[in-house]
Amino acid sequence: MSTVRPAILIARAVFPEIEDRLRPFFEIETTPPGVVWTPAQLVDRLQGKVGVLTTGGERIDAGLLAACPGLKIAANLAVGYNNFDLVAMTAAGVLGTNAPDVLTETTADFGFALLMATARRITESEHFLRAGRWKEWSLDLFAGAEVHGSTLGILGMGRIGQAIARRAAHGFRMNVLYHNRSRLAPDREAACKARYVSKDELLRAADHLVLVLPYSAQSHHTIGAAELAQMKPTATLVNIARGGVVDDAALAAALRERRIAAAGLDVFEGEPAVHPDLLTVPNVVLTPHIASATLATRRAMAMLAADNLIGFLVHGKPLTPLNSEVLTP
Ligand code: 8YV
């Protein structure tokens, strides 16, 4: 019996306990903290590997697959998987897995935090205070938009969208509207007290619009100049979905010209680069893709990715497969 263990790459630094979980089963190659492999370096590292633990930052596409014929699985440490070309992966017989559920509530908490910070101008007013510009109290000093009792629009009503809706309806007595590719079952709508509307109605009616839809070629620039023009001038926009869902240049222009009141952004087109115009407008709250970032949740996401590698490569049963058709030859 061969004692050679299959080799895998952990493509971004993870917590030591994740490596410990994988080590009994695999020869693991780790990635030092702060290192992000270029596509060519990734191909290089993947030679002789059957599995890879990726984050949303590593692209698994036809070019990489052709150059890494031994690869059998890419386990994403993220619920979103727009970094995977699933069609190419399926064609190459490579399984993709993601990390759903374990981050839902934490990400919804953050969506709400970003909504609150944006509507109530928390970072803008903190910068003002830190700059020593607070000289007196005045009636409209950083007066923001009402959150409780207002109308919340949610675009993309998956698990995270529903978790945000529950917070809004039950905690903040908001009127919750949503638009999604498909309408929720009546019992789910009732649980989130959310009403299905067209995208146009959502844009026009929302006091606050939160984006939670997956990124794909179809959702590219779902919010561009035309959509921003439909929104209320008092509205806030929150993007915790993916960069590319919003046309960041169009958004920066709308914010500068006060065509909408404010935006809260955790994700950006071309991140970690941020559109320079967004850095110069005051009415935007910017965070570095941290919606799922609590230690407990990031640990759970990484552990699920590790368990997908073990589940598939050791037991033939991944926990959260994306293209399970590759499992049945
Ligand atoms: C990840 C995310 O932290 O899960 C997702 O889809 O956007 C984040 O929670 C990020 O993608 C890193 O993998």
Side-chain angles (χ1 to χ4, degrees), residues 90-122:
T90 304
V94 174
L95 181 74
T97 63
N98 69 339
D101 299 319
V102 289
L103 79 179
T104 299
E105 298 298 332
T106 301
T107 304
D109 284 350
F110 188 85
F112 230 89
L114 198 49
L115 165 59
M116 296 293 292
T118 305
R120 297 303 305 275
R121 306 176 65 182
I122 287 176

PDB file of all heavy atoms in Angstrom, residues 90-122:
ATOM      1  N   THR A  90     -15.918  21.922 -14.886  1.00  0.00           N
ATOM      2  CA  THR A  90     -16.691  20.707 -15.148  1.00  0.00           C
ATOM      3  C   THR A  90     -16.126  19.978 -16.366  1.00  0.00           C
ATOM      4  O   THR A  90     -15.960  18.751 -16.350  1.00  0.00           O
ATOM      5  CB  THR A  90     -18.177  21.071 -15.354  1.00  0.00           C
ATOM      6  OG1 THR A  90     -18.620  21.786 -14.203  1.00  0.00           O
ATOM      7  CG2 THR A  90     -19.046  19.831 -15.525  1.00  0.00           C
ATOM      8  N   ALA A  91     -15.815  20.748 -17.408  1.00  0.00           N
ATOM      9  CA  ALA A  91     -15.254  20.134 -18.631  1.00  0.00           C
ATOM     10  C   ALA A  91     -13.937  19.421 -18.324  1.00  0.00           C
ATOM     11  O   ALA A  91     -13.635  18.378 -18.907  1.00  0.00           O
ATOM     12  CB  ALA A  91     -15.051  21.198 -19.697  1.00  0.00           C
ATOM     13  N   ALA A  92     -13.171  19.973 -17.382  1.00  0.00           N
ATOM     14  CA  ALA A  92     -11.882  19.371 -17.029  1.00  0.00           C
ATOM     15  C   ALA A  92     -12.036  18.299 -15.947  1.00  0.00           C
ATOM     16  O   ALA A  92     -11.046  17.707 -15.522  1.00  0.00           O
ATOM     17  CB  ALA A  92     -10.923  20.466 -16.556  1.00  0.00           C
ATOM     18  N   GLY A  93     -13.276  18.095 -15.471  1.00  0.00           N
ATOM     19  CA  GLY A  93     -13.511  17.090 -14.423  1.00  0.00           C
ATOM     20  C   GLY A  93     -12.981  17.530 -13.069  1.00  0.00           C
ATOM     21  O   GLY A  93     -12.605  16.709 -12.227  1.00  0.00           O
ATOM     22  N   VAL A  94     -12.934  18.840 -12.839  1.00  0.00           N
ATOM     23  CA  VAL A  94     -12.438  19.369 -11.558  1.00  0.00           C
ATOM     24  C   VAL A  94     -13.615  19.859 -10.728  1.00  0.00           C
ATOM     25  O   VAL A  94     -14.443  20.648 -11.204  1.00  0.00           O
ATOM     26  CB  VAL A  94     -11.431  20.521 -11.799  1.00  0.00           C
ATOM     27  CG1 VAL A  94     -11.028  21.177 -10.495  1.00  0.00           C
ATOM     28  CG2 VAL A  94     -10.202  19.978 -12.535  1.00  0.00           C
ATOM     29  N   LEU A  95     -13.678  19.381  -9.481  1.00  0.00           N
ATOM     30  CA  LEU A  95     -14.770  19.793  -8.602  1.00  0.00           C
ATOM     31  C   LEU A  95     -14.486  21.164  -7.997  1.00  0.00           C
ATOM     32  O   LEU A  95     -13.346  21.468  -7.619  1.00  0.00           O
ATOM     33  CB  LEU A  95     -14.929  18.769  -7.468  1.00  0.00           C
ATOM     34  CG  LEU A  95     -16.071  19.076  -6.492  1.00  0.00           C
ATOM     35  CD1 LEU A  95     -17.425  18.790  -7.128  1.00  0.00           C
ATOM     36  CD2 LEU A  95     -15.928  18.290  -5.196  1.00  0.00           C
ATOM     37  N   GLY A  96     -15.526  21.970  -7.901  1.00  0.00           N
ATOM     38  CA  GLY A  96     -15.448  23.219  -7.149  1.00  0.00           C
ATOM     39  C   GLY A  96     -16.368  23.129  -5.946  1.00  0.00           C
ATOM     40  O   GLY A  96     -17.457  22.550  -6.033  1.00  0.00           O
ATOM     41  N   THR A  97     -15.910  23.654  -4.811  1.00  0.00           N
ATOM     42  CA  THR A  97     -16.798  23.744  -3.649  1.00  0.00           C
ATOM     43  C   THR A  97     -16.724  25.173  -3.119  1.00  0.00           C
ATOM     44  O   THR A  97     -15.740  25.874  -3.342  1.00  0.00           O
ATOM     45  CB  THR A  97     -16.385  22.770  -2.519  1.00  0.00           C
ATOM     46  OG1 THR A  97     -15.069  23.131  -2.048  1.00  0.00           O
ATOM     47  CG2 THR A  97     -16.377  21.327  -2.988  1.00  0.00           C
ATOM     48  N   ASN A  98     -17.780  25.612  -2.429  1.00  0.00           N
ATOM     49  CA  ASN A  98     -17.750  26.947  -1.809  1.00  0.00           C
ATOM     50  C   ASN A  98     -18.002  26.805  -0.306  1.00  0.00           C
ATOM     51  O   ASN A  98     -18.014  25.692   0.222  1.00  0.00           O
ATOM     52  CB  ASN A  98     -18.757  27.881  -2.492  1.00  0.00           C
ATOM     53  CG  ASN A  98     -20.200  27.503  -2.235  1.00  0.00           C
ATOM     54  OD1 ASN A  98     -20.488  26.365  -1.882  1.00  0.00           O
ATOM     55  ND2 ASN A  98     -21.096  28.443  -2.420  1.00  0.00           N
ATOM     56  N   ALA A  99     -18.197  27.929   0.360  1.00  0.00           N
ATOM     57  CA  ALA A  99     -18.350  27.890   1.830  1.00  0.00           C
ATOM     58  C   ALA A  99     -19.601  28.670   2.241  1.00  0.00           C
ATOM     59  O   ALA A  99     -19.504  29.771   2.781  1.00  0.00           O
ATOM     60  CB  ALA A  99     -17.101  28.459   2.505  1.00  0.00           C
ATOM     61  N   PRO A 100     -20.773  28.089   1.961  1.00  0.00           N
ATOM     62  CA  PRO A 100     -22.019  28.793   2.282  1.00  0.00           C
ATOM     63  C   PRO A 100     -22.421  28.623   3.746  1.00  0.00           C
ATOM     64  O   PRO A 100     -21.793  27.857   4.493  1.00  0.00           O
ATOM     65  CB  PRO A 100     -23.037  28.091   1.380  1.00  0.00           C
ATOM     66  CG  PRO A 100     -22.523  26.685   1.281  1.00  0.00           C
ATOM     67  CD  PRO A 100     -21.014  26.777   1.332  1.00  0.00           C
ATOM     68  N   ASP A 101     -23.449  29.323   4.153  1.00  0.00           N
ATOM     69  CA  ASP A 101     -24.155  29.180   5.438  1.00  0.00           C
ATOM     70  C   ASP A 101     -23.370  29.687   6.653  1.00  0.00           C
ATOM     71  O   ASP A 101     -23.894  30.465   7.429  1.00  0.00           O
ATOM     72  CB  ASP A 101     -24.596  27.723   5.711  1.00  0.00           C
ATOM     73  CG  ASP A 101     -25.560  27.233   4.630  1.00  0.00           C
ATOM     74  OD1 ASP A 101     -26.426  28.027   4.220  1.00  0.00           O
ATOM     75  OD2 ASP A 101     -25.404  26.101   4.169  1.00  0.00           O
ATOM     76  N   VAL A 102     -22.106  29.253   6.773  1.00  0.00           N
ATOM     77  CA  VAL A 102     -21.360  29.575   7.998  1.00  0.00           C
ATOM     78  C   VAL A 102     -21.115  31.085   8.150  1.00  0.00           C
ATOM     79  O   VAL A 102     -20.774  31.541   9.238  1.00  0.00           O
ATOM     80  CB  VAL A 102     -20.012  28.824   8.055  1.00  0.00           C
ATOM     81  CG1 VAL A 102     -20.240  27.347   8.300  1.00  0.00           C
ATOM     82  CG2 VAL A 102     -19.199  29.029   6.779  1.00  0.00           C
ATOM     83  N   LEU A 103     -21.268  31.837   7.070  1.00  0.00           N
ATOM     84  CA  LEU A 103     -21.002  33.278   7.138  1.00  0.00           C
ATOM     85  C   LEU A 103     -22.263  34.131   7.031  1.00  0.00           C
ATOM     86  O   LEU A 103     -22.182  35.356   7.082  1.00  0.00           O
ATOM     87  CB  LEU A 103     -20.000  33.685   6.041  1.00  0.00           C
ATOM     88  CG  LEU A 103     -20.528  33.853   4.612  1.00  0.00           C
ATOM     89  CD1 LEU A 103     -19.415  34.276   3.694  1.00  0.00           C
ATOM     90  CD2 LEU A 103     -21.247  32.676   4.105  1.00  0.00           C
ATOM     91  N   THR A 104     -23.417  33.481   6.920  1.00  0.00           N
ATOM     92  CA  THR A 104     -24.640  34.225   6.598  1.00  0.00           C
ATOM     93  C   THR A 104     -24.950  35.316   7.628  1.00  0.00           C
ATOM     94  O   THR A 104     -25.114  36.498   7.270  1.00  0.00           O
ATOM     95  CB  THR A 104     -25.839  33.252   6.498  1.00  0.00           C
ATOM     96  OG1 THR A 104     -25.564  32.319   5.455  1.00  0.00           O
ATOM     97  CG2 THR A 104     -27.132  33.991   6.191  1.00  0.00           C
ATOM     98  N   GLU A 105     -25.031  34.948   8.894  1.00  0.00           N
ATOM     99  CA  GLU A 105     -25.477  35.917   9.911  1.00  0.00           C
ATOM    100  C   GLU A 105     -24.417  37.003  10.131  1.00  0.00           C
ATOM    101  O   GLU A 105     -24.749  38.183  10.283  1.00  0.00           O
ATOM    102  CB  GLU A 105     -25.816  35.196  11.224  1.00  0.00           C
ATOM    103  CG  GLU A 105     -26.956  34.187  11.106  1.00  0.00           C
ATOM    104  CD  GLU A 105     -28.297  34.805  10.698  1.00  0.00           C
ATOM    105  OE1 GLU A 105     -28.541  35.997  10.984  1.00  0.00           O
ATOM    106  OE2 GLU A 105     -29.107  34.083  10.069  1.00  0.00           O
ATOM    107  N   THR A 106     -23.148  36.605  10.124  1.00  0.00           N
ATOM    108  CA  THR A 106     -22.062  37.573  10.317  1.00  0.00           C
ATOM    109  C   THR A 106     -22.044  38.604   9.192  1.00  0.00           C
ATOM    110  O   THR A 106     -21.857  39.805   9.426  1.00  0.00           O
ATOM    111  CB  THR A 106     -20.717  36.808  10.349  1.00  0.00           C
ATOM    112  OG1 THR A 106     -20.773  35.876  11.419  1.00  0.00           O
ATOM    113  CG2 THR A 106     -19.535  37.739  10.542  1.00  0.00           C
ATOM    114  N   THR A 107     -22.256  38.127   7.982  1.00  0.00           N
ATOM    115  CA  THR A 107     -22.246  39.029   6.822  1.00  0.00           C
ATOM    116  C   THR A 107     -23.467  39.939   6.850  1.00  0.00           C
ATOM    117  O   THR A 107     -23.377  41.129   6.513  1.00  0.00           O
ATOM    118  CB  THR A 107     -22.175  38.195   5.520  1.00  0.00           C
ATOM    119  OG1 THR A 107     -21.022  37.352   5.610  1.00  0.00           O
ATOM    120  CG2 THR A 107     -22.054  39.069   4.294  1.00  0.00           C
ATOM    121  N   ALA A 108     -24.595  39.402   7.280  1.00  0.00           N
ATOM    122  CA  ALA A 108     -25.803  40.239   7.411  1.00  0.00           C
ATOM    123  C   ALA A 108     -25.602  41.303   8.489  1.00  0.00           C
ATOM    124  O   ALA A 108     -26.013  42.460   8.320  1.00  0.00           O
ATOM    125  CB  ALA A 108     -27.007  39.364   7.741  1.00  0.00           C
ATOM    126  N   ASP A 109     -24.955  40.931   9.589  1.00  0.00           N
ATOM    127  CA  ASP A 109     -24.635  41.926  10.631  1.00  0.00           C
ATOM    128  C   ASP A 109     -23.840  43.072  10.018  1.00  0.00           C
ATOM    129  O   ASP A 109     -24.108  44.246  10.256  1.00  0.00           O
ATOM    130  CB  ASP A 109     -23.757  41.315  11.740  1.00  0.00           C
ATOM    131  CG  ASP A 109     -24.521  40.425  12.710  1.00  0.00           C
ATOM    132  OD1 ASP A 109     -25.763  40.410  12.672  1.00  0.00           O
ATOM    133  OD2 ASP A 109     -23.844  39.748  13.517  1.00  0.00           O
ATOM    134  N   PHE A 110     -22.841  42.713   9.215  1.00  0.00           N
ATOM    135  CA  PHE A 110     -21.977  43.738   8.632  1.00  0.00           C
ATOM    136  C   PHE A 110     -22.742  44.597   7.620  1.00  0.00           C
ATOM    137  O   PHE A 110     -22.556  45.816   7.559  1.00  0.00           O
ATOM    138  CB  PHE A 110     -20.754  43.111   7.960  1.00  0.00           C
ATOM    139  CG  PHE A 110     -19.770  44.145   7.522  1.00  0.00           C
ATOM    140  CD1 PHE A 110     -18.819  44.632   8.404  1.00  0.00           C
ATOM    141  CD2 PHE A 110     -19.821  44.673   6.245  1.00  0.00           C
ATOM    142  CE1 PHE A 110     -17.934  45.620   8.014  1.00  0.00           C
ATOM    143  CE2 PHE A 110     -18.942  45.670   5.843  1.00  0.00           C
ATOM    144  CZ  PHE A 110     -17.994  46.149   6.733  1.00  0.00           C
ATOM    145  N   GLY A 111     -23.602  43.955   6.850  1.00  0.00           N
ATOM    146  CA  GLY A 111     -24.421  44.720   5.903  1.00  0.00           C
ATOM    147  C   GLY A 111     -25.217  45.775   6.646  1.00  0.00           C
ATOM    148  O   GLY A 111     -25.327  46.933   6.212  1.00  0.00           O
ATOM    149  N   PHE A 112     -25.736  45.382   7.798  1.00  0.00           N
ATOM    150  CA  PHE A 112     -26.501  46.339   8.600  1.00  0.00           C
ATOM    151  C   PHE A 112     -25.601  47.417   9.192  1.00  0.00           C
ATOM    152  O   PHE A 112     -25.966  48.599   9.243  1.00  0.00           O
ATOM    153  CB  PHE A 112     -27.300  45.623   9.696  1.00  0.00           C
ATOM    154  CG  PHE A 112     -28.713  46.074   9.679  1.00  0.00           C
ATOM    155  CD1 PHE A 112     -29.652  45.436   8.889  1.00  0.00           C
ATOM    156  CD2 PHE A 112     -29.095  47.199  10.379  1.00  0.00           C
ATOM    157  CE1 PHE A 112     -30.945  45.915   8.798  1.00  0.00           C
ATOM    158  CE2 PHE A 112     -30.385  47.682  10.309  1.00  0.00           C
ATOM    159  CZ  PHE A 112     -31.319  47.035   9.524  1.00  0.00           C
ATOM    160  N   ALA A 113     -24.422  47.010   9.639  1.00  0.00           N
ATOM    161  CA  ALA A 113     -23.470  47.990  10.190  1.00  0.00           C
ATOM    162  C   ALA A 113     -23.103  49.027   9.126  1.00  0.00           C
ATOM    163  O   ALA A 113     -23.053  50.232   9.403  1.00  0.00           O
ATOM    164  CB  ALA A 113     -22.208  47.274  10.674  1.00  0.00           C
ATOM    165  N   LEU A 114     -22.878  48.561   7.908  1.00  0.00           N
ATOM    166  CA  LEU A 114     -22.494  49.471   6.829  1.00  0.00           C
ATOM    167  C   LEU A 114     -23.665  50.380   6.455  1.00  0.00           C
ATOM    168  O   LEU A 114     -23.479  51.576   6.181  1.00  0.00           O
ATOM    169  CB  LEU A 114     -22.018  48.637   5.631  1.00  0.00           C
ATOM    170  CG  LEU A 114     -21.180  49.322   4.560  1.00  0.00           C
ATOM    171  CD1 LEU A 114     -20.024  50.123   5.141  1.00  0.00           C
ATOM    172  CD2 LEU A 114     -20.640  48.290   3.569  1.00  0.00           C
ATOM    173  N   LEU A 115     -24.852  49.823   6.480  1.00  0.00           N
ATOM    174  CA  LEU A 115     -26.046  50.638   6.228  1.00  0.00           C
ATOM    175  C   LEU A 115     -26.177  51.735   7.284  1.00  0.00           C
ATOM    176  O   LEU A 115     -26.404  52.918   6.968  1.00  0.00           O
ATOM    177  CB  LEU A 115     -27.282  49.722   6.224  1.00  0.00           C
ATOM    178  CG  LEU A 115     -28.657  50.386   6.328  1.00  0.00           C
ATOM    179  CD1 LEU A 115     -28.892  51.355   5.184  1.00  0.00           C
ATOM    180  CD2 LEU A 115     -29.744  49.321   6.322  1.00  0.00           C
ATOM    181  N   MET A 116     -26.013  51.351   8.548  1.00  0.00           N
ATOM    182  CA  MET A 116     -26.127  52.336   9.636  1.00  0.00           C
ATOM    183  C   MET A 116     -25.040  53.403   9.527  1.00  0.00           C
ATOM    184  O   MET A 116     -25.297  54.607   9.667  1.00  0.00           O
ATOM    185  CB  MET A 116     -26.011  51.642  11.002  1.00  0.00           C
ATOM    186  CG  MET A 116     -27.099  50.663  11.332  1.00  0.00           C
ATOM    187  SD  MET A 116     -28.704  51.426  11.550  1.00  0.00           S
ATOM    188  CE  MET A 116     -28.476  52.345  13.050  1.00  0.00           C
ATOM    189  N   ALA A 117     -23.805  52.956   9.283  1.00  0.00           N
ATOM    190  CA  ALA A 117     -22.679  53.897   9.201  1.00  0.00           C
ATOM    191  C   ALA A 117     -22.884  54.884   8.052  1.00  0.00           C
ATOM    192  O   ALA A 117     -22.549  56.064   8.155  1.00  0.00           O
ATOM    193  CB  ALA A 117     -21.373  53.136   9.014  1.00  0.00           C
ATOM    194  N   THR A 118     -23.444  54.372   6.963  1.00  0.00           N
ATOM    195  CA  THR A 118     -23.639  55.200   5.773  1.00  0.00           C
ATOM    196  C   THR A 118     -24.784  56.184   5.984  1.00  0.00           C
ATOM    197  O   THR A 118     -24.628  57.396   5.758  1.00  0.00           O
ATOM    198  CB  THR A 118     -23.932  54.296   4.553  1.00  0.00           C
ATOM    199  OG1 THR A 118     -22.877  53.344   4.426  1.00  0.00           O
ATOM    200  CG2 THR A 118     -24.028  55.108   3.279  1.00  0.00           C
ATOM    201  N   ALA A 119     -25.909  55.658   6.422  1.00  0.00           N
ATOM    202  CA  ALA A 119     -27.092  56.529   6.583  1.00  0.00           C
ATOM    203  C   ALA A 119     -26.857  57.574   7.660  1.00  0.00           C
ATOM    204  O   ALA A 119     -27.312  58.715   7.539  1.00  0.00           O
ATOM    205  CB  ALA A 119     -28.313  55.671   6.918  1.00  0.00           C
ATOM    206  N   ARG A 120     -26.136  57.188   8.728  1.00  0.00           N
ATOM    207  CA  ARG A 120     -25.953  58.103   9.859  1.00  0.00           C
ATOM    208  C   ARG A 120     -24.582  58.788   9.835  1.00  0.00           C
ATOM    209  O   ARG A 120     -24.196  59.450  10.780  1.00  0.00           O
ATOM    210  CB  ARG A 120     -26.181  57.341  11.175  1.00  0.00           C
ATOM    211  CG  ARG A 120     -27.604  56.797  11.325  1.00  0.00           C
ATOM    212  CD  ARG A 120     -28.671  57.900  11.217  1.00  0.00           C
ATOM    213  NE  ARG A 120     -28.407  58.963  12.172  1.00  0.00           N
ATOM    214  CZ  ARG A 120     -28.810  58.936  13.458  1.00  0.00           C
ATOM    215  NH1 ARG A 120     -29.530  57.924  13.893  1.00  0.00           N
ATOM    216  NH2 ARG A 120     -28.520  59.926  14.260  1.00  0.00           N
ATOM    217  N   ARG A 121     -23.876  58.633   8.724  1.00  0.00           N
ATOM    218  CA  ARG A 121     -22.655  59.405   8.421  1.00  0.00           C
ATOM    219  C   ARG A 121     -21.576  59.248   9.501  1.00  0.00           C
ATOM    220  O   ARG A 121     -20.898  60.211   9.900  1.00  0.00           O
ATOM    221  CB  ARG A 121     -23.035  60.870   8.229  1.00  0.00           C
ATOM    222  CG  ARG A 121     -24.123  61.039   7.185  1.00  0.00           C
ATOM    223  CD  ARG A 121     -24.607  62.446   7.022  1.00  0.00           C
ATOM    224  NE  ARG A 121     -23.569  63.334   6.507  1.00  0.00           N
ATOM    225  CZ  ARG A 121     -23.748  64.635   6.310  1.00  0.00           C
ATOM    226  NH1 ARG A 121     -24.914  65.186   6.562  1.00  0.00           N
ATOM    227  NH2 ARG A 121     -22.782  65.382   5.847  1.00  0.00           N
ATOM    228  N   ILE A 122     -21.411  58.022   9.959  1.00  0.00           N
ATOM    229  CA  ILE A 122     -20.533  57.773  11.102  1.00  0.00           C
ATOM    230  C   ILE A 122     -19.055  58.026  10.761  1.00  0.00           C
ATOM    231  O   ILE A 122     -18.361  58.734  11.494  1.00  0.00           O
ATOM    232  CB  ILE A 122     -20.769  56.354  11.670  1.00  0.00           C
ATOM    233  CG1 ILE A 122     -22.118  56.351  12.412  1.00  0.00           C
ATOM    234  CG2 ILE A 122     -19.642  55.946  12.618  1.00  0.00           C
ATOM    235  CD1 ILE A 122     -22.552  55.020  12.962  1.00  0.00           C
TER     236      ILE A 122
END
